[in-house]
Amino acid sequence: MMKNNNYKIKGCLLLFTLFSFMAVASNQVKGVRVWPSPDNTRVVFDMAAAPEHISFSLDNPDRLVIDLNNTTGSSSLPPLSGESALIKSIRSSGDANKMRIVLDLTKATKANVFALPPTPPYGHRLVVDLPDDQPVRNLPPPSIRAARDIVVAIDAGHGGEDPGSIGPSGFYEKNITLPIAKQLAQLIDRQPGMKAMMVRTNDYYLHVNKRTEIARGQQADLLVSIHADAFTSPQPRGASVWVLSLRRATTEVGRMLEQTERHSELLGGVAEIIKDSANERYLAQTVLDLSMNHSMVTAYQAANEVLQELDKIAYLHKREPQAASLGVLKAPDIPSILVEVGFISNPKEEALLKSGSHQSKLATSLFTALKRHFEKAPPADSLFAMQRAKEHRVSAGESLSLLAQRYNVSVDELRNVNQLTSDSIRIGQTLRIP
Ligand SMILES: [Zn+2]
């Protein structure tokens, strides 16, 4: 886990005195990047070596001060890339041995400052996370209406500081996943009865847990995470679709049941009737198991539809949905699929995945598959379910009065709209429902 170093000024002065005996600074700030997201701004300082840092906040005006020991502070900071409404300016001062960086803020925020070890394409970094108390994302969760929209949460893999996999030509996975996600969202939003919800709206980093949290907050019917695959050799290619593995799901349910405060969140309204005593825990487990089974069946069916569509426009790496515990496939309560649109590590596929026309094809395929999935299995209170109910194919054991009851119409209405002269109906007959 990441470590937060927030010392009092006194301690910092003491350390300064100690470090001032050291002769030549070995560290240096090589770059500064600002990644704003709706509820957090991340500032990343690229360092020549692992940073020795101390930070503290000051108010009137609100500032965050970071002291970097053993760091050349006599030259100015490299030019910033990116900007955030939270940050007025970033300035520096110092001498050959230490650097002081001051972030002038537009409001007070509880900064989290930590170092990150090198991961391609980046080297040593000092990261400053500035949470935004009044996040832009304050959309109310969709209310339950008579015929609601089906909510699809679309998660563009990686982002910001996390480039994902990197192709042989240097292209980042995060720059493939976002345009596909955006196009998919557009297609979904154009479809009456469906609504898209972008988990990440731009180029910033979101923790995996945060991604499922956002989807859960929007009561998503399905979470679709978009990624590109990579391997150590250039040969593997093709798309694959992943669903949550049963083994992992069972572990996750167990873990979540341990965290009693999370029950209400996971169980929705059911939590109100389940008191969390040890005796009743088995009941909570059963309810979660039921929703988990539903999630997994839904995800598996959706995954199959996606594979069927992708097969028309892309090579498939695996023809069956794969079960795993990667990325967002951790929430047992939200049906989730993870689509690997191809191998970025394969030079030919990297070129394909970079192309706008192929990205559009992928987005269209995903949309067609998801629409078909929800047409086949619409959530009961959705517009899709209502529309589907306008026609009914009679199956064994059904009578006119039973159907009238089910669709909440009168037998007379059913008779009239279908121009029936008697009440007898046959199996396979299609009836119109008024
Ligand atoms: Zn990925």
Side-chain angles (χ1 to χ4, degrees):
M1 269 319 285
M2 289 144 175
K3 202 168 159 240
N4 185 5
N5 290 329
N6 278 318
Y7 294 94
K8 291 260 154 57
I9 303 175
K10 220 194 265 172
C12 132
L13 287 176
L14 176 72
L15 276 174
F16 263 172
T17 323
L18 289 174
F19 278 109
S20 61
F21 290 108
M22 297 173 75
V24 181
S26 62
N27 213 343
Q28 195 190 343
V29 177
K30 293 162 74 185
V32 189
R33 284 166 285 127
V34 179
W35 304 101
S37 84
D39 50 15
N40 183 70
T41 289
R42 174 167 283 194
V43 185
V44 183
F45 297 93
D46 291 303
M47 305 297 298
E52 296 163 19
H53 62 283
I54 295 161
S55 64
F56 53 93
S57 293
L58 296 171
D59 54 10
N60 267 330
D62 292 310
R63 280 157 293 166
L64 174 72
V65 181
I66 304 163
D67 284 328
L68 292 166
N69 296 317
N70 199 19
T71 303
T72 316
S74 40
S75 49
S76 56
L77 283 173
L80 296 193
S81 80
E83 55 180 47
S84 159
L86 262 181
I87 301 170
K88 262 189 258 176
S89 64
I90 302 180
R91 53 201 163 88
S92 71
S93 58
D95 55 30
N97 271 322
K98 57 182 182 257
M99 178 179 243
R100 167 165 284 192
I101 298 171
V102 179
L103 281 76
D104 294 300
L105 305 170
T106 51
K107 61 179 173 184
T109 168
K110 265 201 162 160
N112 185 18
V113 185
F114 54 92
L116 278 182
T119 6
Y122 301 114
H124 282 285
R125 284 154 293 167
L126 182 74
V127 178
V128 180
D129 271 342
L130 304 164
D132 194 342
D133 299 336
Q134 256 116 35
V136 184
R137 186 192 302 277
N138 51 5
L139 304 165
S143 56
I144 307 296
R145 284 179 287 119
R148 67 171 180 91
D149 289 338
I150 292 165
V151 180
V152 180
I154 306 168
D155 171 44
H158 311 280
E161 200 54 15
D162 169 16
S165 299
I166 302 170
S169 86
F171 206 71
Y172 293 172
E173 180 185 351
K174 68 169 184 178
N175 294 331
I176 293 168
T177 59
L178 190 60
I180 296 174
K182 281 184 173 167
Q183 287 184 59
L184 174 59
Q186 271 178 11
L187 291 168
I188 287 175
D189 282 335
R190 259 185 247 150
Q191 171 64 44
M194 286 178 90
K195 201 182 93 175
M197 193 254 130
M198 292 281 283
V199 170
R200 149 168 104 79
T201 52
N202 222 319
D203 189 15
Y204 51 82
Y205 173 77
L206 271 181
H207 190 272
V208 164
N209 293 349
K210 182 81 186 164
R211 293 176 195 247
T212 44
E213 223 174 83
I214 290 171
R216 184 178 290 128
Q218 294 294 310
Q219 298 171 14
D221 293 283
L222 185 72
L223 171 59
V224 181
S225 189
I226 299 169
H227 284 257
D229 227 333
F231 198 66
T232 45
S233 70
Q235 288 83 17
R237 66 184 179 115
S240 56
V241 182
W242 298 75
V243 293
L244 175 64
S245 82
L246 185 62
R247 229 176 98 198
R248 174 55 181 260
T250 312
T251 321
E252 285 292 320
V253 167
R255 195 180 57 77
M256 283 176 168
L257 283 173
E258 289 308 310
Q259 302 173 328
T260 50
E261 70 274 23
R262 293 203 58 190
H263 284 191
S264 54
E265 204 186 318
L266 280 166
L267 298 170
V270 187
E272 286 160 27
I273 53 163
I274 299 173
K275 289 192 190 80
D276 185 50
S277 71
N279 285 345
E280 281 155 335
R281 183 156 289 193
Y282 80 96
L283 181 56
Q285 173 80 55
T286 310
V287 174
L288 253 188
D289 280 353
L290 286 176
S291 93
M292 186 179 85
N293 287 341
H294 165 78
S295 292
M296 292 175 71
V297 169
T298 303
Y300 193 83
Q301 287 170 342
N304 264 319
E305 298 290 352
V306 169
L307 282 167
Q308 208 179 311
E309 281 307 309
L310 286 179
D311 195 21
K312 297 175 187 169
I313 59 137
Y315 179 81
L316 292 186
H317 183 62
K318 302 272 185 192
R319 307 200 67 86
E320 294 288 323
Q322 306 295 299
S325 58
L326 5 122
V328 299
L329 301 176
K330 288 202 294 183
D333 55 327
I334 306 167
S336 310
I337 64 170
L338 189 148
V339 182
E340 300 273 15
V341 291
F343 275 81
I344 195 175
S345 50
N346 178 305
K348 275 191 186 152
E349 272 196 357
E350 183 197 21
L352 201 58
L353 292 171
K354 275 161 73 173
S355 88
S357 64
H358 191 66
Q359 290 174 357
S360 301
K361 276 189 203 169
L362 288 164
T364 308
S365 291
L366 290 174
F367 168 69
T368 309
L370 297 181
K371 184 175 168 237
R372 194 170 59 228
H373 164 71
F374 284 116
E375 279 168 351
K376 284 184 184 173
D381 51 352
S382 65
L383 183 68
F384 272 38
M386 289 271 192
Q387 282 169 341
R388 202 172 74 139
K390 284 194 173 138
E391 278 194 349
H392 178 91
R393 252 172 93 85
V394 178
S395 44
E398 289 178 341
S399 67
L400 213 54
S401 58
L402 186 109
L403 292 174
Q405 214 175 4
R406 186 184 304 165
Y407 290 105
N408 200 19
V409 294
S410 72
V411 175
D412 274 347
E413 281 177 299
L414 267 183
R415 229 188 263 126
N416 290 343
V417 88
N418 290 288
Q419 295 168 314
L420 302 174
T421 47
S422 80
D423 281 0
S424 67
I425 48 175
R426 56 188 162 72
I427 294 165
Q429 184 178 359
T430 302
L431 293 177
R432 292 181 58 210
I433 309 295

